[in-house]
Structure formats: C-alpha cells, structure tokens
Amino acid sequence: MKRTTLSLFGAAAALAAVTGVAALGGASPAAETGAKAPTRLPVQRSTALCPAPTSSDVAETTYTSFTPQAKAQAGGKTSAAQLLSAAGPAAKSDAKADAKADPKKAGKGAKAPQAAGRPVLSLKEPGKPATATTSSSDAPALVGTADGALAPGWTTQQTTVIAAGAGRGLHGVICAAPDTSFWFPGVSTVKGRQDYVHVTNPDPTAAVVDLELYGKDGRIKAPTGEAVNVPPRSTVPVLLSTLTDAPTEDLTLHVAARNGRVGAGVQASDEKLGGDWLAPSGDASPSVVLPGIPADATSVRLVAHVPGDDDADLKVRLAGPTGSISPAGHETLHVKSGMTTAVDLGDVTKGQAGSLLLTAEGDSAPVVAALRVTRGKGDKQETAFIPATPALDGRGTVADNRPKGSTLALVAPGKEAQVKVTSSAGADGGSPVGKTYTVKAGTTLAVEPPQPGGTKGPYAVTVEKVSGGPVHASRTLALPKDGLPMFTIQPLPDDRSTVAVPEAEQDLSMLNR
C-alpha cells in the first residue's frame, strides 16, 4: 500500500513550505537541541479497489465498509468515504463470457451493468459499518476513497455467496490499495479450475502491466501476458490458462505494472473444491507467517516462490495452541531461485487451529508463499487461501463479521504478545465491545471475537497490538449451507492509519543568504 508514503510526502512538503529549510552551512535550533522523533498523525486520504465479484447468476454479494473510531479523529469539515463503480470489465474471450452474453442463460434477477462512477456504498461515520448488497452477475469493480476522519483505517470487505456451479461457496476479499507489484503463489491452470486475475486501474490514465507465471522449472513463456493494457478507471479480468499451453497445478503469478498503479486479485474456481479469492502474499522475506489454518482442515497445500537470485532454505513449523512443532516429513523446505515449490501437508492441524511458520536457515533468500486450505469431504468440500501475512505494527481491521460465524487467529511467532480485540456496533445497531488477549510465544490463539451488545447486521473487528513481540492475524468467516462448509479467510495486514511527520523549525537566517 502506498497511501501512507504519499501522505508523508504531502505532509513534509507542506511543513517545508510553512517553516522554511534549514541552512546548509549552519545548524538549526532543532539540530542544536537534538533531533526530535517524528510525530505520528492520522492519514488524510485512503484508497481501496474492489474487483468485480462474480459472473454467476446464482450469487449474492455484500459490501461492508468501516472506519475504526479513534479518540482524536483526522480531518475537519469534510469527511467522506465512498465506493464508486468503475467502468465495465473488458470482454472475456472464453466460454464463460459467451454464456454470460447469451440472454437465454441470463438469470431472471440479472441487472444491467452500473454506469461508471455511480455510488454503490457510502460510509457516514466512524465506528459504525455501512453495507450494500447486489445479486447482479454484471456487478462492476469498485473504486473507493475515504477522506478526513474516515480515512485512518478505512476498510471494505467484499463477500460473495455462490450457490451453485464452478466455484460454488463463499468468496471473500478485502478491497486493497493500488500498488505496482503483486505476488500470488498458489494459482493454477489445470483442467477443472479457472483462475482469473482481476487488474483494476483507479486512475484517469491507462496502466500497462505484465502477467508473469513461474513454475517448478522457472518462468513460463507467456507472451500474451506482456504489456496488458488496463484502460482508465476500469478492470480487466484475464483467465490464466489462456497465458500458457501447459496446464500446471502449482504456479506463482507476478503482476508488475510497467506504468501506472493498479489493484490485483485472483479469483480461483474449482469444479469440485469450490473456490475463493487469493490475496497477494506479503513482501518477500526470509521468514514468513501464514496465519489461521482452521482446526478442521482436511487438506493443506503450501506453495512458495523465490523472486530473487539465491535459493531459500527454510525451517517449517506449525504454531498450534500450545507451542510449535515441525510437521513430520516436512521439517525443512528448499526453494530454488526463480522457481515455485509446492508441498502437500495433508491434515497437518490434526483437529487444532494453527499457523505455518517458514523461518530462514542461514543466509536464506526471501520468499513469497501461500496456503490452499480445504475443508469437508467428498462432494462437500470447500477451499480458501492464506497468503503470507506481515505483522501488525499497530492495528488491523476486518469488516463483515457475522454472529457465530467469525474466528480470529492470532499468532506470536517469537515473543509473547498482548492484543486488544474490539468488535464494533452492527450496521443496523448495537454497541461496541472489547477484550484483551495474551498470545503465548510460538502459538496460535483462535478465538471468536467478542459479540457486540444488541448487534444487528454485520460488524467489524479491529485488532490492536498492546505489547510484546510481533503479532500476525487472520479472520475466518464460515457460513455453512446445505452441508457445504462454506468459508473464506482474510489476512489482517496493518492498516497504516498513521504516518510519521517530522518536526520542523523556522530558520529565518535563510532570508539573509
């Protein structure tokens, strides 16, 4: 996410314009008395992009938008947070698009695409979620901004229930800020699975991106994935199997912007195993944490990739409720430079919720990684994904939680930590409630968030680090239906709601030079 960096530049520039610049040849008063630590202030503007949810005629999507309440809110008179429809998606050159275009196959409830720029959801105040729903198979991608008091920590969850067909199940994704590079370990081009990468451009000028695929032998030739044009304020979905003639089970996708900035997400749909959104992995690191494997997971598959020039040697551990162990037969993992490695861990949790820790051995190269998690058996199986997730420096928020349906996974890979979990009021009423938890070193604590008093409608959950070592977190939302264990897992990255602003002093001697 780049919004904090941009806010920092803007704040620094404004301060420089007001106070002047320190003289090159002499010390300013601040320098003479010792430099002060930068002050952290709330960000003034946040941006989020939501991909087009589905082309299914038997699906319903809920958007839930939320900004945490703060003691000192940012902003002045103007404060707004809106999600607007982007331009309609480009046509898909495959059978799925042809079915959509056939009026005989259109659902009775289908609606025409919304006009670009039409407001879909508006958040009015911090501390209380706002929601919107759609059952349209042509629901567009959304481009959103939040200003003033609604900007710090603003988040939106997109949750879709697909009742039948390929990918049936629960598809959830947190609408993310635009960036220039995204890594997606765990994509596939095999028969029976359709993985679409959705690339959304929020800006008034076109963006150009490269779609690169990496397998067990390195980069795969995919000329049609080079220099993909993404028109202004629009989204382009690309079926990954059209980029290569060789069906491959485990791949890593890299979305790299040549110019402009974009949002990116992968929607994976399997004919037998359901599907979900795959969020990008956190930045490549020698040690990564993949938080929140459900206790009843029947299959867990790890996919890791090394973007750099050196190989990676990793120690594999499972952090459970009481400590960390090495999975039998999978104590270590070697990943070659530029290649993707996959490991089937089976039912590694053995009935207890856990998280996977990949720790560098020696001078290991940084990696990106993700887990494909399956619940259920036979024809009642469902799939979700857990990407490598960075630690919470301050706080993280996930919207659209349901009573008895949400589970938080809190992981302390090193030292013991304390975190405060706050559940907001519901979208239609209720009162917030908070609780503090202790996460022991090397363990995963899986808890149901505290239930808001008299809650009505979806609510948001905010996790704040209070003390101790690094904490990583994810949220599982489970909405079982007709014996199918529908679920989705969202990582909780830090919301970057504040930015460091350096202090500045006037140096009027500049006027005499």
Side-chain angles (χ1 to χ4, degrees):
M1 300 181 184
K2 301 300 182 187
R3 62 177 181 269
T4 52
T5 305
L6 295 174
S7 299
L8 173 59
F9 289 162
L15 287 169
V18 173
T19 61
V21 181
L24 293 176
S28 69
E32 293 173 357
T33 59
K36 295 182 181 180
T39 302
R40 297 204 69 86
L41 298 176
V43 299
Q44 292 293 301
R45 186 178 179 87
S46 296
T47 302
L49 308 178
C50 307
T54 180
S55 60
S56 173
D57 294 321
V58 288
E60 183 172 59
T61 298
T62 300
Y63 301 97
T64 307
S65 189
F66 177 77
T67 295
Q69 185 75 50
K71 293 180 181 179
Q73 289 286 1
K77 295 182 179 180
T78 345
S79 181
Q82 276 194 331
L83 289 164
L84 308 177
S85 62
K92 300 176 183 178
S93 56
D94 57 73
K96 188 176 181 181
D98 296 338
K100 278 182 60 180
D102 187 350
K104 294 181 181 180
K105 298 180 181 180
K108 294 182 180 179
K111 300 177 182 179
Q114 294 172 297
R118 176 180 173 181
V120 173
L121 177 62
S122 297
L123 183 65
K124 302 298 184 184
E125 58 182 313
K128 182 181 179 181
T131 63
T133 60
T134 179
S135 57
S136 173
S137 61
D138 291 313
L142 305 181
V143 177
T145 56
D147 298 296
L150 293 173
W154 179 56
T155 186
T156 299
Q157 165 85 13
Q158 175 182 295
T159 308
T160 303
V161 177
I162 301 178
R168 87 284 179 274
L170 190 62
H171 293 231
V173 65
I174 293 178
C175 304
D179 210 327
T180 57
S181 178
F182 306 86
W183 289 94
F184 297 94
V187 301
S188 176
T189 58
V190 295
K191 184 180 179 181
R193 181 160 154 181
Q194 290 188 325
D195 285 16
Y196 278 95
V197 58
H198 292 245
V199 184
T200 304
N201 177 8
D203 297 322
T205 56
V208 178
V209 301
D210 290 330
L211 306 177
E212 305 165 355
L213 290 174
Y214 296 85
K216 62 183 180 63
D217 297 319
R219 185 170 176 179
I220 296 174
K221 291 183 179 180
T224 56
E226 297 178 1
V228 176
N229 183 67
V230 187
R233 293 189 63 83
S234 70
T235 186
V236 173
V238 178
L239 180 61
L240 296 186
S241 60
T242 62
L243 301 181
T244 174
D245 295 329
T248 306
E249 172 70 18
D250 302 295
L251 292 169
T252 297
L253 168 69
H254 183 212
V255 179
R258 292 191 182 186
N259 63 275
R261 55 177 193 155
V262 296
V266 174
Q267 189 172 35
S269 298
D270 192 285
E271 292 179 357
K272 297 181 180 179
L273 302 178
D276 201 355
W277 286 96
L278 171 57
S281 172
D283 291 340
S285 173
S287 297
V288 298
V289 177
L290 302 99
I293 307 171
D296 60 351
T298 51
S299 175
V300 177
R301 190 169 184 84
L302 167 65
V303 182
H305 174 78
V306 175
D309 297 327
D310 299 317
D311 294 355
D313 288 292
L314 305 167
K315 182 179 180 180
V316 181
R317 291 182 299 151
L318 178 71
T322 58
S324 300
I325 62 171
S326 297
H330 303 292
E331 294 83 0
T332 60
L333 180 68
H334 179 75
V335 188
K336 294 183 178 179
S337 167
M339 301 182 186
T340 297
T341 297
V343 178
D344 191 353
L345 301 175
D347 58 341
V348 65
T349 56
K350 304 297 182 184
Q352 294 184 318
S355 303
L356 206 66
L357 314 179
L358 304 181
T359 309
E361 293 187 332
D363 296 326
S364 180
V367 300
V368 291
L371 297 175
R372 186 186 72 192
V373 179
T374 304
R375 297 173 67 220
K377 296 180 180 180
D379 61 351
K380 299 293 185 180
Q381 296 185 74
E382 237 277 68
T383 300
F385 298 90
I386 305 174
T389 304
L392 290 170
D393 292 327
R395 70 179 184 185
T397 299
V398 60
D400 195 4
N401 294 276
R402 318 285 177 92
K404 307 299 181 182
S406 296
T407 302
L408 274 180
L410 307 171
V411 192
K415 299 179 181 179
E416 180 177 286
Q418 278 196 328
V419 296
K420 181 181 179 181
V421 177
T422 304
S423 297
S424 75
D428 300 317
S431 55
V433 62
K435 187 175 181 178
T436 300
Y437 297 91
T438 298
V439 188
K440 295 181 179 179
T443 69
T444 296
L445 177 64
V447 296
E448 182 181 340
Q451 295 297 301
T455 182
K456 295 180 180 179
Y459 63 95
V461 172
T462 299
V463 179
E464 298 178 82
K465 178 184 170 183
V466 177
S467 62
V471 176
H472 304 251
S474 71
R475 188 282 311 269
T476 297
L477 177 63
L479 301 176
K481 182 178 181 181
D482 301 328
L484 184 67
M486 291 189 178
F487 76 116
T488 180
I489 302 174
Q490 276 71 57
L492 268 73
D494 194 273
D495 66 11
R496 300 185 183 181
S497 56
T498 62
V499 61
V501 179
E503 286 201 21
E505 296 282 349
Q506 287 185 342
D507 184 5
L508 300 181
S509 64
M510 283 290 293
L511 301 177
N512 299 323
R513 293 177 183 269

